[in-house]
Amino acid sequence: MSKTITVLPGDGIGPEVTDSAVRVLDYLFKKFHHDVHFVKALIGGAAIDAEETPLPQKTIDQCKASDAVLLGAVGGPKWDRQSMTVRPEQGLLGIRKALELFANIRPAKTFAPLIDASPLKREYVTSVDFVIVRELTGGLYFGKPSERRGPHKEDVVDTLAYSRYEIERVVDKAFQMAEKRRKKLTSVDKANVLESSRMWREVVTEKAQDYPDVEVNHALVDSTAMQLIRNPSQFDVIVTENMFGDILSDEASVITGSLGMLPSASLRTDKLGLYEPVHGSAPDIAGQGKANPLATILSAAFLLRYSLDLDKEAELIETAVQRVLEQGYHTPDLQVNAAQTTSVNTAEMTDQVIAAIAAQIPEQV
Ligand code: IPM
Ligand code: MG
């Protein structure tokens, strides 16, 4: 049966990096005769320019009708200067909400050739391998809009609101991930101050009964920010509120050497998911062929694994990325440790990844 991937290139380097990932996916689909096709749709600043809204209804409809969504990045100075009422970021938040993508998976795993690029000492980062599960459709990002601005414009309110089921479903996802990994879950909150965090803790403690093999720790978000730098390899799965997860995942991204390497998956209960690099739209380097496509290519591997059940193909991509780095290929943002290093542009990096995938597939006779 034919499957559809909606591609939302967005702004800045978004179009370049999604083009790269689509080339890699297309190569694999042809090679293994999978009937998958791509449809593009508008989001972010590009959608504001064309349709005066960061998230046109037809983009939502198109995403809902597809099997997976691949997104580049949104935003840039062009739209920052406009009135604050319409912003590219609303497109991103809107599509997450419209598709009910409540669990955002952001891994931080060391790539051996990049270790020296980490701002932390080598011995702290060699065995880093953890996943942040960030709640994505509630919490501080989605307080009731009607309550946000007081009548006198002197009062402003952002509410951190959760319903119990919203916490339960993301915590369940995190426990399931922990079960398949090293069976360690750190639930991050601010229970010494916030009521919502106290309910979060309650839910985690209750859910822990269903996962007796998983060791659970509760930690405060400020202390976790410190522990991530002090001893990042202690973590396996971290589950947390939307805004806490946003902040901790940026912190986590530099530990492993480059923001340009980190993929993400935004999931819900069925197979439909949205896949995007953790990095932003990098408008300063857009259109120059300098963008590192690896985070988006690795996001495409997640897409294969979580939405299309193509685990073998996902692994081919992940191994290929590893090999390309070991061979010393790097975009300008990467500091790679190899006997010989070669600086490449976005398209050449993509060619190298495809070649490294091809090298793993035995010749057909
Ligand atoms: C992210 C980004 C977004 C977020 C912004 C662009 C709205 O920082 O995906 O982490 O805060 O969720
Ligand atoms: Mg962020």
Coordinates of all heavy atoms in Angstrom, one line a residue, residues 105-109 127-133 173-185 213-214 232-238 302 306:
I105 N 10.7 13.3 21.4 CA 11.9 12.4 21.8 C 13.1 13.1 21.3 O 13.3 13.3 20.0 CB 11.7 11.0 21.1 CG1 10.3 10.5 21.2 CG2 12.8 10.0 21.5 CD1 9.9 10.1 22.6
R106 N 14.0 13.4 22.2 CA 15.3 14.1 21.8 C 16.5 13.4 22.4 O 16.8 13.6 23.5 CB 15.2 15.6 22.2 CG 14.2 16.4 21.6 CD 14.2 17.8 21.9 NE 13.3 18.5 20.9 CZ 13.2 19.9 20.9 NH1 13.9 20.6 21.7 NH2 12.4 20.4 20.0
P107 N 17.1 12.6 21.6 CA 18.3 11.8 22.1 C 19.6 12.6 22.1 O 19.7 13.5 21.3 CB 18.4 10.7 21.1 CG 17.8 11.2 19.8 CD 16.9 12.3 20.2
A108 N 20.4 12.3 23.0 CA 21.8 12.9 23.1 C 22.7 11.7 23.2 O 22.7 11.0 24.2 CB 21.9 13.8 24.2
K109 N 23.4 11.4 22.1 CA 24.3 10.3 22.1 C 25.6 10.7 21.5 O 25.7 11.4 20.5 CB 23.7 9.2 21.2 CG 24.4 7.9 21.3 CD 23.6 6.8 20.6 CE 24.5 5.6 20.7 NZ 24.3 4.5 20.2
S127 N 30.7 8.2 27.2 CA 29.6 7.2 27.2 C 28.2 7.9 27.4 O 27.3 7.3 28.0 CB 29.8 6.1 28.3 OG 30.1 6.8 29.5
V128 N 28.0 9.1 26.9 CA 26.7 9.7 27.0 C 25.7 9.1 26.0 O 26.0 8.9 24.9 CB 26.9 11.3 26.7 CG1 25.5 11.9 26.6 CG2 27.6 11.9 27.9
D129 N 24.6 8.7 26.5 CA 23.6 8.1 25.7 C 22.2 8.2 26.5 O 21.9 7.3 27.2 CB 23.9 6.7 25.4 CG 22.9 6.0 24.5 OD1 21.9 6.7 24.1 OD2 23.0 4.8 24.3
F130 N 21.6 9.3 26.3 CA 20.3 9.5 26.9 C 19.2 10.1 26.0 O 19.6 10.5 24.9 CB 20.4 10.3 28.3 CG 20.8 11.7 28.1 CD1 19.9 12.7 27.9 CD2 22.2 12.1 28.2 CE1 20.2 14.0 27.7 CE2 22.5 13.4 28.1 CZ 21.6 14.4 27.8
V131 N 18.0 10.0 26.4 CA 16.9 10.5 25.6 C 16.0 11.4 26.5 O 15.7 11.0 27.6 CB 16.0 9.4 25.1 CG1 14.8 9.9 24.3 CG2 16.7 8.3 24.4
I132 N 15.7 12.6 26.0 CA 14.8 13.5 26.7 C 13.4 13.2 26.1 O 13.3 13.3 24.9 CB 15.2 14.9 26.6 CG1 16.5 15.2 27.4 CG2 14.1 15.8 27.2 CD1 17.0 16.6 27.3
V133 N 12.4 12.9 26.9 CA 11.0 12.8 26.5 C 10.3 14.1 27.0 O 10.1 14.2 28.2 CB 10.3 11.6 27.0 CG1 8.9 11.5 26.5 CG2 11.1 10.3 26.5
K173 N 4.8 6.8 27.7 CA 5.7 6.7 26.6 C 7.2 6.6 27.1 O 8.0 5.8 26.6 CB 5.7 8.0 25.8 CG 4.9 7.9 24.5 CD 5.5 7.3 23.3 CE 4.7 7.5 22.1 NZ 3.7 6.7 21.6
A174 N 7.5 7.4 28.1 CA 8.8 7.5 28.7 C 9.2 6.2 29.4 O 10.3 5.6 29.2 CB 9.0 8.6 29.7
F175 N 8.2 5.6 30.1 CA 8.5 4.3 30.8 C 8.7 3.2 29.7 O 9.6 2.4 29.8 CB 7.3 3.9 31.6 CG 7.4 4.3 33.1 CD1 6.6 5.3 33.6 CD2 8.4 3.7 33.9 CE1 6.7 5.7 34.9 CE2 8.5 4.1 35.2 CZ 7.6 5.1 35.8
Q176 N 7.9 3.3 28.6 CA 8.1 2.3 27.6 C 9.5 2.4 26.9 O 10.1 1.4 26.6 CB 7.0 2.4 26.5 CG 5.6 1.9 27.0 CD 4.5 2.6 26.2 OE1 4.7 3.2 25.1 NE2 3.3 2.5 26.8
M177 N 9.9 3.6 26.7 CA 11.3 3.8 26.2 C 12.3 3.3 27.1 O 13.3 2.6 26.7 CB 11.6 5.2 25.9 CG 10.7 5.8 24.8 SD 11.5 7.2 24.0 CE 12.4 6.3 22.8
A178 N 12.2 3.6 28.4 CA 13.1 3.1 29.4 C 13.2 1.6 29.5 O 14.3 1.0 29.6 CB 12.8 3.7 30.8
E179 N 12.1 1.0 29.4 CA 12.0 -0.5 29.4 C 12.9 -1.1 28.3 O 13.5 -2.2 28.5 CB 10.6 -1.0 29.2 CG 9.9 -1.4 30.5 CD 8.6 -2.1 30.3 OE1 8.0 -1.9 29.2 OE2 8.2 -2.8 31.2
K180 N 12.9 -0.4 27.1 CA 13.7 -1.0 26.0 C 15.1 -0.5 26.0 O 15.9 -0.9 25.2 CB 13.0 -0.5 24.7 CG 11.7 -1.1 24.4 CD 11.3 -0.9 22.9 CE 9.8 -1.0 22.7 NZ 9.2 0.2 22.3
R181 N 15.5 0.3 27.0 CA 16.8 0.8 27.1 C 17.5 0.3 28.3 O 17.4 -0.9 28.6 CB 16.8 2.4 27.0 CG 16.4 2.9 25.6 CD 16.2 4.4 25.6 NE 17.4 5.0 26.3 CZ 18.4 5.6 25.6 NH1 18.4 5.6 24.3 NH2 19.4 6.1 26.2
R182 N 18.1 1.2 29.1 CA 18.8 0.8 30.3 C 18.0 0.8 31.6 O 18.5 0.7 32.7 CB 20.1 1.6 30.5 CG 21.0 1.5 29.3 CD 22.4 2.0 29.6 NE 22.5 3.3 30.2 CZ 22.4 4.5 29.5 NH1 22.3 4.5 28.2 NH2 22.4 5.6 30.1
K183 N 16.6 1.0 31.4 CA 15.7 0.8 32.5 C 15.8 1.8 33.6 O 15.7 1.5 34.8 CB 15.7 -0.6 33.0 CG 15.4 -1.7 32.0 CD 15.2 -3.0 32.6 CE 14.8 -4.1 31.7 NZ 14.9 -3.9 30.2
K184 N 16.2 3.1 33.2 CA 16.3 4.1 34.2 C 15.6 5.3 33.8 O 15.8 5.8 32.7 CB 17.8 4.4 34.3 CG 18.3 4.5 35.7 CD 19.8 5.0 35.8 CE 19.9 6.2 36.7 NZ 21.2 6.8 36.7
L185 N 14.6 5.8 34.6 CA 13.8 6.9 34.3 C 14.0 8.1 35.3 O 13.9 7.8 36.5 CB 12.4 6.6 34.2 CG 11.4 7.7 33.8 CD1 11.6 8.1 32.4 CD2 10.0 7.3 34.1
D213 N 10.4 -3.1 36.4 CA 11.8 -3.2 36.1 C 12.5 -1.9 35.9 O 13.7 -1.9 35.8 CB 11.9 -3.9 34.7 CG 11.3 -5.3 34.7 OD1 11.0 -5.8 35.8 OD2 11.1 -5.8 33.6
V214 N 11.7 -0.8 35.9 CA 12.4 0.5 35.6 C 12.7 1.2 37.0 O 11.8 1.4 37.8 CB 11.5 1.4 34.7 CG1 12.1 2.7 34.5 CG2 11.2 0.7 33.4
P232 N 26.8 13.7 32.7 CA 25.7 13.4 31.8 C 25.5 12.0 31.5 O 24.4 11.6 31.1 CB 26.2 14.2 30.5 CG 27.6 14.4 30.6 CD 27.9 14.5 32.1
S233 N 26.5 11.1 31.8 CA 26.3 9.7 31.4 C 25.5 9.0 32.4 O 25.1 7.8 32.2 CB 27.7 9.0 31.2 OG 28.5 9.2 32.3
Q234 N 25.1 9.6 33.6 CA 24.2 9.0 34.5 C 22.8 8.8 34.0 O 22.0 8.0 34.5 CB 24.1 9.8 35.8 CG 23.4 11.1 35.7 CD 23.4 12.0 36.9 OE1 22.7 11.6 37.9 NE2 24.2 13.0 36.9
F235 N 22.4 9.6 32.9 CA 21.0 9.6 32.5 C 20.7 8.5 31.4 O 21.6 8.2 30.6 CB 20.6 11.0 32.0 CG 20.7 12.0 33.0 CD1 21.7 13.0 33.0 CD2 19.7 12.1 34.0 CE1 21.8 14.0 34.0 CE2 19.8 13.1 35.0 CZ 20.8 14.0 35.0
D236 N 19.5 8.0 31.5 CA 19.0 7.1 30.4 C 17.8 7.7 29.7 O 17.9 8.2 28.6 CB 18.7 5.7 31.1 CG 18.2 4.7 30.0 OD1 18.5 4.9 28.8 OD2 17.6 3.7 30.4
V237 N 16.7 7.7 30.4 CA 15.5 8.5 29.9 C 15.1 9.5 30.9 O 15.0 9.3 32.1 CB 14.3 7.5 29.6 CG1 13.1 8.3 29.1 CG2 14.7 6.4 28.7
I238 N 14.9 10.8 30.3 CA 14.4 11.9 31.2 C 13.1 12.3 30.7 O 12.9 12.4 29.4 CB 15.4 13.1 31.0 CG1 16.8 12.8 31.6 CG2 14.8 14.4 31.6 CD1 17.8 13.9 31.3
F302 N 14.5 8.2 12.1 CA 13.5 8.0 13.2 C 12.1 7.8 12.5 O 11.3 7.0 12.9 CB 13.4 9.2 14.1 CG 14.4 9.3 15.2 CD1 15.3 8.2 15.4 CD2 14.3 10.3 16.1 CE1 16.2 8.2 16.4 CE2 15.2 10.3 17.2 CZ 16.1 9.3 17.3
Y306 N 9.8 4.8 13.5 CA 8.6 4.9 14.3 C 7.3 5.0 13.5 O 6.3 4.6 13.9 CB 8.7 6.2 15.2 CG 9.7 6.2 16.2 CD1 10.7 7.1 16.3 CD2 9.8 5.1 17.2 CE1 11.7 7.1 17.3 CE2 10.7 5.1 18.2 CZ 11.7 6.1 18.2 OH 12.6 6.0 19.2

